[in-house]
Amino acid sequence: MARDVLFFLSADDEAAAATRLRGPGAAFESVSCHFIDPDTAIAEWDMYFEEPSAEAPSSERLYAWRPWPEWVVPPLNDGVEVLALPKRLTRALANASLAELEELAGRWTARLWSEDGEEMTDDDLLAVLQRVARLAASAVHNGGGLYSWSF
């Protein structure tokens, strides 16, 4: 589980990879959240838009999901990861309705609660999804990509 996660816009993989050591910083528009696994969140979001359901997926089904988010740069032993969100997920988030984001947030919250209980993030997950969806809309409109940086 990552302590700090930033979902951010970048023009391309190379620029996103350059954030690896210090994070995206003020140069990149970003959304922060805490104490989540960005790769499983990204996979769950992608699964939701490909196979909509209000029910949270089982861990086995979630970890078997493909495509899994791809590293922009291979991880080292320092715990930092930079992942690219799949283009289809970026488009889906950009076009998501409020009702879809609410249902996804409810499902995501239920899965995290079942796995982490009281140790679950205290971020407002619907607000996180809404802000990430706005980033996705900007990425689609401007031709960039959506990424996550975590530590």
Side-chain angles (χ1 to χ4, degrees):
M1 178 176 310
R3 185 182 72 213
D4 295 310
V5 179
L6 293 166
F7 293 96
F8 68 99
L9 291 175
S10 181
D12 55 39
D13 288 357
E14 186 176 324
T19 69
R20 192 201 159 317
L21 294 177
R22 292 189 176 88
F28 297 85
E29 189 175 354
S30 65
V31 172
S32 66
C33 58
H34 305 87
F35 302 109
I36 66 161
D37 288 320
D39 50 356
T40 55
I42 294 165
E44 182 171 1
W45 301 349
D46 190 43
M47 180 185 286
Y48 172 81
F49 288 108
E50 289 298 305
E51 301 174 4
S53 170
E55 297 299 317
S58 67
S59 294
E60 296 80 21
R61 189 152 183 273
L62 181 60
Y63 290 115
W65 185 252
R66 297 292 176 257
W68 198 253
E70 294 185 16
W71 289 310
V72 177
V73 289
L76 301 174
N77 290 332
D78 60 3
V80 175
E81 286 186 337
V82 180
L83 300 166
L85 277 71
K87 295 288 184 199
R88 74 180 186 191
L89 174 57
T90 301
R91 285 188 304 274
L93 284 165
N95 296 314
S97 68
L98 178 57
E100 288 173 314
L101 294 175
E102 288 172 341
E103 185 173 77
L104 176 54
R107 168 181 147 152
W108 187 25
T109 300
R111 185 182 62 78
L112 291 177
W113 180 257
S114 73
E115 290 178 0
D116 301 333
E118 292 184 21
E119 299 299 317
M120 188 180 113
T121 180
D122 60 356
D123 286 314
D124 177 341
L125 298 181
L126 175 57
V128 168
L129 279 169
Q130 289 174 313
R131 292 191 308 265
V132 171
R134 282 193 289 275
L135 288 179
S138 183
V140 168
H141 183 263
N142 297 321
L146 191 54
Y147 299 85
S148 75
W149 177 93
S150 61
F151 174 72

